[in-house]
Amino acid sequence: MHQQPTRPSAVVDNYPSPGGREPFPQAGAGTDAPETNRVPGTPTKSPAAQGSSRAGIPPTSGPRRTAVAPPPGASGRTPYPTSRPAPDLPPTHTALICVALPGLAISGEQGQLAGRGLEGFYRGGRRLLSRCQVRVAGREPLMVQARTAGADRARFVGTLRVSPVAGPDPDVVVERTRNADGTERITLLNATLRPLRLPVEVALGTDLADLGAIASGSAGPELPASVHASGLRWASAGGGACVTAHPQPAEALASAGLLRWELELPPGGTAHVELRVRPDGAGAAPLRAVRRAATSPLAPARAAGDDPRVAVLLRTAVDDLQALLLRDPAHPSDTYLAAGAPWRCGMAPAEALAAARMALPLGTRLAAGTLRTLARTQLPGPGPRAGLIPGPRRDAGALLPPACTGTEATLLFPVLLAEARRWGLPEQETQELLPAAERCLTWLRTTTGDGTYLADPQPAGPVRCETQAHAHRAALLGADLLDAYDRPGGAELRQWAQAAQNAFRKDFWVEDRGGGRPAAALAPDGRPLPHLGSTAVHLLDTGLLDAGGLAPGLLDKVQTEQLARLLGGPAMDAGWGLRGLGAKETGHNPFGHRSGAVRVQETALAVAGLAAVGYEKEATGLLRGLLDAAEHFDHRLPEMYAGEQRTAGSAPLPHPAACRPAATAAAAAILILTTLAGIRPDAPARTVALRPMHSVPLGEITLTGLRVVGAPFAVRVSRLGLAMVEDAADGLQLGV
């Protein structure tokens, strides 16, 4: 499926500050830049979107948010537009979502596709089939189990009693295996001692609706069907779909959308019906998921150890990342990760870069494909925006205006290139991407000018804490990259980074009785906004330099220790992971995707950052909470879940609109497991350093099938906290 670039919808939100003070004007309508390679028909920005605005779905293809009365003490302005009440989004937390992009299969817990909510088979954001209901002997099977059997398939098992003299035991078992590639296999098992002749009916229907229309509640009625070969066909102005069946049905009724068989089952025997859902009409290309390609950009890494959960967590994460892979339609050899299913099955630049970075232990090919794809979207010069990688705005919670993900992506680009080189990105590919990285760094220096900080691009925007962390890291790793290839500009970047560090430690540190905290942002008048949120973890993520060393950060040693204490405290650590906003902060909402929910990516960054600077107790608490939460989600972590405080016997509450699978959540599992071994490669120097967590929070662990310098890499961490390389490229030396 070719995904055409589109322009995202406008972001129009008002965010009152505590006590009625409004330090920021309303952000102007529109986005900072176009969002590229979104799957057509999907919401441009979901309510769960990490890489897009919470206002989310365009007015013509999704709901607006309901107007909310201001909190006590706030100004008279409402925080959201006073538009018509928003229809509820179809929930995702109870859905079984099978993914092999650009294909999706979304099912309810009963297995039958009844056309409710998001149920159906999708391709490229269009629902090809919304209803697929099986009846055997005139009755629907009783569902006894529904579960995913992999990222791209689900299995449903139901039972029936068809004999009038049978006791309480079922005598027919109906198993349905549903795949994201558009196939469903129905198997009937005769559990009796006599032959059975069973009439089987499958009722089919579709509205051929776009996902955005479904999300907004504006999908149309089912379309009339026509008989087509061994199945049925539907058509609309935007395209069509067909379902073919094997074996050929004995009867096909277009008016009822019904296929019928008479199946003979011997005692203990089985019979099968296979359905294939495909797009139909002119220009309908065959479905070809990237995960089914002969070669994958992701290594099939595996884990084993004292804690059995590590094995299934890593296996599921790799499987989910494979399912979310997309090709650049103009350059099919370049692959990147979609943000997440079902809402954002297309490119979100900042998240694609972040996920590729966390997935570097699985090889550098994904990073290279992501970088090349985004380099082609970079804005040309001249002008102040030259070098910027476009990205939409995303909601930043109730206390700050929407943020520009284009800024984040532009700063992540040189960081990913520099670190991919350390992991083994070939020199030729690095040099080919270097000009794009240089343009990102030039944009950084041009935008900051003679100033100390990188402010938001919108007028009177804030100076965000996490943006300074991204910019500082980009400057240092970018300077290292430029120096390695004798390109100018490294010294200037380091000089700016040093000035920013000196100023940040004073301007962004808010003293209080608890020992102080980093400010979330500086208002246009220079006033620090002291609320504590998970974005502060970016201060601990400084990036990888030569010999396995980490770049210096913006905080000094005392401030780092205080931040570690805050992140590990009960206000931020929900027991299941890191809250997006501290529980004691004004505006905290345990379900707020930027104001209290646990975000998996930022929890993993906190684990890695805290472990890197030696605060293993705090890192271990967050690590174990995240691993415990993963069990409740069948080890497929959503992008976020509620930040409700963990209590004895409780379980994490799912967020009803979260993407699952999500690229950053799956990649976060790679990050936290490799953090246990502390793998820090330096491919140009042919060395790899190991800095394991000495507290060994999960006992002994072995990681195999990783990639360092393009070759298989395996490491084992013993119960004593000693790391040993068990497989590595020839000539790779153990660093200090």
Side-chain angles (χ1 to χ4, degrees), residues 288-296 327 365:
R288 182 167 174 253
V290 180
R291 69 177 284 116
R292 297 303 180 197
T295 58
S296 169
R327 291 185 181 89
R365 287 178 55 202

Side-chain angles (χ1 to χ4, degrees), residues 353 357 360 371 374 378 387 389 406-422 425 430 433-444 470-482 493 543-545:
L353 289 164
R357 183 178 175 225
L360 280 172
L371 290 167
L374 288 174
Q378 202 169 28
I389 294 173
T407 297
E408 183 178 341
T410 307
L411 298 173
L412 271 170
F413 190 102
V415 169
L416 178 57
L417 180 59
E419 292 192 324
R421 175 175 174 264
R422 296 291 174 192
L425 184 66
T430 306
L433 287 162
L434 188 57
E438 284 184 290
R439 289 192 290 272
C440 292
L441 296 169
T442 299
W443 173 86
L444 168 61
H470 292 318
H472 186 260
R473 181 184 59 210
L476 293 180
L477 270 65
D480 182 63
L481 191 62
L482 295 176
L493 285 166
L544 184 65
L545 292 175

